[in-house]
Amino acid sequence: MKTVEQQNPLSEGLRLERTPEPCTVIIFGASGDLTMRKLIPALFSLAQQNLLPAGFSVVGAARSPFSHEEFRDKMKNAVQEFADVGPQDANLVDSFISGLYYNPSDPTKPETFANLEKLLGEIDQERGTSGNRLFYLSTPPSLYAPICKALGQVKLNGSKGWTRIIIEKPFGKDLESMRELNRDVLSVFEEDQVYRIDHYLGKETVQNLMVLRFDNSIFEPLWNHQYVDHVQITAAESLGVEKRAGYYEKSGALRDMIQNHLFQVFTLVAMEPPVSLASNDIRDEKTKVVKAIRPFTHDEVPHYAQRGQYGPGAISGKPVPGYREEEGVDPQSSTDTYAAVKLCVDNWRWAGTPFYLRSAKRMPKRVSEIAIQFKTPPQKLFPASEASSPAEPNRLIVRVQPDEGITVKFRAKLPGQAVNIRNVNMDFDYGTSFGKKSPEAYERLLLDAMLGDSTLFARGDMVEASWELLMPVLDVWSQPAGDGFPNYAAGSWGPQASDDWLASECRQWRRP
């Protein structure tokens, strides 16, 4: 009997995935939530798809004094709770867990890294991993530099096989800290060894942007200032700060989402076609478009950025507190829980077409999308009628999450003698079309890092350019907001000032 994927004609002819060389993944911060909820389940999912090499091994590294068996028991529970495990997977679970090891590691105690070096050598001998190592820093950013230096001291920054290191965001908290972090990391590793991970780039719909643009002749000729009025990239969350106040108070929406996630998505929407699919050719184009963004001064910040903070309100009919009432938040906090920026790209393709990026907490619903709004026809040929719906611009909407897919919105005539026009949608849905769910972002990114494919990882020069552009906003927003906060109710679509800002440019925010 054929599987759903085999029965679906749209899945025919898809290339087989590549399997990496035998290797060991070393996870620093292995006792944390990210490891248990995302990393280990993602690796197990790759094992289910036969995408892990023979002898594949994982070493957990953290300050907690676990034994190998204690770590294996902890990760087995994580797999059973957070991965899609069926009764048929019992032997696979045991086999996967048997390849897990643990090494207590403290960057302030060099001898623990000497022990790590010894353990990795033993794993190479016992499991045939050939000295291929992928380090993953799932720790507080303050430990990135000390861990890198400790790895360098025991010569784990290079071996007889390949060596790579994944660094989780945030890549600094401003331009200077990013540069300092970069200097520290690159004093130990080469740039081509460093993989700055952004899980948004692992999402299937984000990866599909290049195919949508460059493999479909119906879209790319319209992908420019002559036909596109503006682009909106939105990442809205219905959740509040939850238990992350300690982090969020120092971050805010601009640092947490726009500088990294949404900037990465923006580059895929706005970049020029690369000369090839080689990772650096693609990343060259992404960096070029960031460098083409028009810089602005501190005085111009109100024209290019808007901020907000949620007050008390309701989500799904249930009352929720304002940000300043959340546990661990300063009652006078000026932290932005809503941030929106306008990017003007001064190049041949996009001159005069603005890109609006916004992210916020306590929105009416969780949604991430890219909305490309096309210009209206030069002349209104069809008069309005009572049976016609109000005219809406044509839009191409890429739904990143949830319900991944693409929608084209256009106008069509109702059946009948009269010319009555309605707004209609043409939809593509990933789950329906391909008969399979999209893989988790970390699955793709971990596999790419093991394969040495850096396409979906941020390069240092692009990260630096994005920080440089946003520094005037961060400087201005570092000042107290005064009586202006909170300026939107939880459960609303953001501050009135942000709506007025777009209205002043004869545009309005789309309500997903």
Side-chain angles (χ1 to χ4, degrees):
M1 181 178 178
K2 290 185 176 182
T3 65
V4 173
E5 185 177 355
Q6 289 170 328
Q7 291 172 340
N8 190 331
L10 289 180
S11 68
E12 293 179 2
L14 298 182
R15 70 171 180 86
L16 295 176
E17 297 287 356
R18 294 175 293 159
T19 301
E21 298 174 296
C23 60
T24 301
V25 174
I26 304 95
I27 304 174
F28 289 95
S31 58
D33 273 359
L34 181 64
T35 300
M36 292 186 290
R37 292 175 177 270
K38 296 293 184 182
L39 302 184
I40 292 297
L43 291 170
F44 178 75
S45 179
L46 293 175
Q48 287 177 306
Q49 300 167 64
N50 296 315
L51 292 174
L52 292 182
F56 174 79
S57 306
V58 176
V59 174
R63 289 171 172 164
S64 305
F66 296 136
S67 66
H68 295 322
E69 288 305 319
E70 288 172 331
F71 181 66
R72 287 167 183 161
D73 289 342
K74 190 177 180 69
M75 293 304 107
K76 185 173 184 178
N77 291 336
V79 166
Q80 292 171 338
E81 182 175 357
F82 299 112
D84 186 10
V85 181
Q88 74 281 3
D89 293 320
N91 291 337
L92 181 61
V93 171
D94 291 340
S95 174
F96 176 78
I97 295 300
S98 70
L100 271 57
Y101 301 82
Y102 187 80
N103 187 87
S105 303
D106 185 340
T108 65
K109 297 178 180 178
E111 66 273 13
T112 64
F113 281 73
N115 295 338
L116 175 62
E117 192 271 339
K118 180 182 177 183
L119 174 61
L120 291 175
E122 293 171 356
I123 292 172
D124 286 340
Q125 292 296 319
E126 294 172 10
R127 296 180 63 83
T129 47
S130 306
N132 296 321
R133 286 132 189 200
L134 175 63
F135 296 99
Y136 196 117
L137 303 192
S138 176
T139 66
S142 60
L143 294 179
Y144 292 171
I147 290 173
C148 288
K149 291 176 181 177
L151 290 172
Q153 287 170 357
V154 294
K155 303 296 190 288
L156 283 175
N157 55 330
S159 67
K160 60 183 179 182
W162 52 256
T163 302
R164 301 172 190 131
I165 184 167
I166 295 178
I167 299 177
E168 274 278 352
K169 75 144 184 113
F171 315 121
K173 59 184 178 63
D174 53 27
L175 180 60
E176 185 49 44
S177 62
M178 181 272 164
R179 286 174 171 166
E180 182 179 357
L181 173 61
N182 222 31
R183 286 192 296 268
D184 289 337
V185 173
L186 296 182
S187 69
V188 180
F189 295 92
E190 300 296 327
E191 174 64 37
D192 62 4
Q193 293 179 289
V194 180
Y195 288 62
R196 299 170 186 85
I197 193 168
D198 187 325
H199 75 271
Y200 250 60
L201 291 183
K203 294 181 181 296
E204 198 68 44
T205 41
V206 174
Q207 296 171 46
N208 194 44
L209 280 169
M210 285 183 59
V211 177
L212 177 73
R213 289 187 57 189
F214 304 133
D215 211 38
N216 293 285
S217 60
I218 62 172
F219 295 124
E220 183 58 20
L222 307 180
W223 214 271
N224 56 62
H225 70 93
Q226 293 181 324
Y227 298 99
V228 177
D229 179 80
H230 71 280
V231 178
Q232 294 183 26
I233 302 176
T234 298
E237 298 179 71
S238 58
L239 295 175
V241 70
E242 303 306 300
K243 299 185 182 299
R244 299 175 68 219
Y247 163 76
Y248 207 82
E249 274 285 82
K250 299 174 183 177
S251 173
L254 189 75
R255 285 187 174 97
D256 188 46
M257 292 293 293
I258 291 181
Q259 184 275 329
N260 40 75
H261 297 327
L262 298 196
F263 253 83
Q264 291 290 336
V265 175
F266 155 78
T267 60
L268 291 171
V269 177
M271 64 184 271
E272 294 298 318
V275 296
S276 79
L277 293 179
S279 58
N280 268 333
D281 287 338
I282 293 172
R283 298 199 296 176
D284 283 345
E285 297 303 333
K286 292 170 67 176
T287 301
K288 284 179 188 177
V289 78
V290 173
K291 291 183 175 180
I293 298 171
R294 183 188 308 161
F296 44 84
T297 66
H298 291 73
D299 291 340
E300 293 174 317
V301 165
H303 301 290
Y304 285 91
Q306 292 288 316
R307 63 171 165 169
Q309 185 186 92
Y310 66 85
I315 302 289
S316 301
K318 297 180 180 179
V320 295
Y323 178 74
R324 293 181 177 183
E325 286 79 53
E326 300 275 16
E327 182 180 350
V329 172
D330 180 353
Q332 302 300 318
S333 175
S334 291
T335 298
D336 50 295
T337 64
Y338 176 103
V341 298
K342 179 174 75 170
L343 307 180
C344 297
V345 182
D346 290 335
N347 65 12
W348 192 271
R349 181 185 292 265
W350 293 116
T353 297
F355 288 74
Y356 299 98
L357 282 57
R358 63 171 170 166
S359 179
K361 290 189 173 294
R362 287 301 190 201
M363 297 279 100
K365 62 181 179 179
R366 172 179 172 263
V367 61
S368 295
E369 68 168 33
I370 304 150
I372 293 127
Q373 181 165 314
F374 295 94
K375 293 182 177 180
T376 55
Q379 181 180 0
K380 189 157 185 65
L381 189 61
F382 301 101
S385 69
E386 290 185 3
S388 295
S389 56
E392 292 184 7
N394 298 143
R395 293 188 183 97
L396 175 66
I397 299 161
V398 179
R399 300 187 304 277
V400 177
Q401 64 180 14
D403 305 323
E404 296 95 332
I406 299 169
T407 297
V408 178
K409 290 183 171 288
F410 60 98
R411 304 271 286 165
K413 177 185 173 298
L414 281 169
Q417 300 299 319
V419 180
N420 296 315
I421 302 173
R422 292 290 175 90
N423 304 306
V424 296
N425 294 342
M426 185 163 55
D427 282 318
F428 157 70
D429 178 82
Y430 268 89
T432 302
S433 295
F434 294 112
K436 59 185 292 189
K437 69 175 185 177
S438 299
E440 288 290 325
Y442 282 101
E443 293 178 33
R444 171 64 187 268
L445 295 172
L446 285 165
L447 182 63
D448 279 2
M450 287 186 276
L451 289 166
D453 185 345
S454 58
T455 304
L456 298 178
F457 295 83
R459 203 167 64 188
D461 53 351
M462 180 192 159
V463 176
E464 182 170 349
S466 64
W467 275 122
E468 192 168 10
L469 181 82
L470 292 176
M471 280 311 300
V473 184
L474 292 171
D475 290 343
V476 171
W477 287 5
S478 66
Q479 303 303 312
D483 296 334
F485 273 19
N487 61 359
Y488 71 97
S492 71
W493 280 106
Q496 182 62 44
S498 185
D499 291 343
D500 296 341
W501 177 52
L502 249 64
S504 69
E505 301 187 358
C506 299
R507 298 183 175 98
Q508 62 182 16
W509 289 114
R510 175 178 141 74
R511 301 291 186 252

